[in-house]
Amino acid sequence: MDIAETSMDRVHELVPQETLADRLRAKSVHATGDPEFQHLVRFIGADESEPVRAGARAVLDERPIVTDITMVKAGITGRGHDCAVRKAIGNGAELAAETGMTRTAAAVLELDSEGVYDGAIAVVGNAPTAALALADCIEDGTRPAVVVATPVGFVKAADSRERLREVCAAHGVPAVTNVGRRGGSGLAAGLTNELVHVASDAREGEIDL
């Protein structure tokens, strides 16, 4: 705990702590070890802090947290919330086999057909095709409470996040993403965990959502 607190103290010397959105910027720096990453985070909502408020409220309402892959799920804290945490991967195998789409895209579509993403905290930390599938679902009427999307890579990653930002903005879905090629499971889990921490602070009366 001493090491973690010292690490965050150093991050807070580099990142302003004036808004709820700044808390996620700080977490992005902590998760990546890169002070410049704070400038790559993007927020979709009426204001920058809306996705943080929406995510914290969803945690307080014990809405499910749905990740794209196992690694992101493993990184979600088990403390400070009573949300069910589940992963998409492992679902939709038949759909993937029939259509040739990726397993993660098929998994997202399968869960969406069951209504899993409505009102959920939707997290994509690895697969660009999962982000693209989630964007299609939102365009077709699905409404997550908040989206956290940081898929990583050189193929479709930046494009998938850009599409997700556009779709979320068009349909009023709060979202946190980043620009560029970087991202990944650790970042997505870290940002989601910060939503849990904000919810815990609200529960304790330390902040007002």
Side-chain angles (χ1 to χ4, degrees), residues 11-185:
V11 169
H12 291 160
E13 294 173 0
L14 302 168
V15 185
Q17 289 297 281
E18 299 173 358
T19 68
L20 292 177
D22 286 337
R23 290 185 58 158
L24 266 68
R25 290 191 179 95
K27 181 56 71 172
S28 77
V29 171
H30 185 253
T32 62
D34 181 2
E36 296 305 311
F37 206 93
Q38 62 182 300
H39 306 299
L40 303 181
V41 184
R42 298 291 183 269
F43 301 89
I44 301 300
D47 59 71
E48 284 192 333
S49 293
E50 183 183 358
V52 189
R53 292 192 299 268
R57 291 189 184 112
V59 171
L60 293 173
D61 290 340
E62 300 180 9
R63 302 302 304 166
I65 299 172
V66 187
T67 72
D68 57 335
I69 65 167
T70 306
M71 189 177 293
V72 185
K73 180 178 182 290
I76 302 298
T77 181
R79 302 170 60 183
H81 70 91
D82 291 311
C83 301
V85 183
R86 63 182 300 182
K87 60 184 179 180
I89 195 69
N91 295 276
E94 291 184 9
L95 179 61
E98 291 172 0
T99 63
M101 69 175 62
T102 67
R103 292 185 304 136
T104 47
V108 168
L109 295 179
E110 181 78 15
L111 289 190
D112 184 63
S113 70
E114 299 170 8
V116 171
Y117 282 103
D118 275 311
I121 300 167
V123 186
V124 179
N126 180 267
T129 55
L132 291 168
L134 182 60
D136 290 343
C137 295
I138 292 170
E139 204 164 47
D140 290 340
T142 298
R143 294 294 177 266
V146 66
V147 171
V148 177
T150 62
V152 62
F154 291 86
V155 180
K156 295 186 179 180
D159 293 340
S160 71
R161 285 186 257 106
E162 181 177 2
R163 170 156 165 74
L164 201 47
R165 284 192 295 274
E166 291 173 351
V167 170
C168 286
H171 296 280
V173 176
V176 182
T177 72
N178 67 286
V179 296
R181 298 188 184 98
R182 290 182 289 174
S185 299

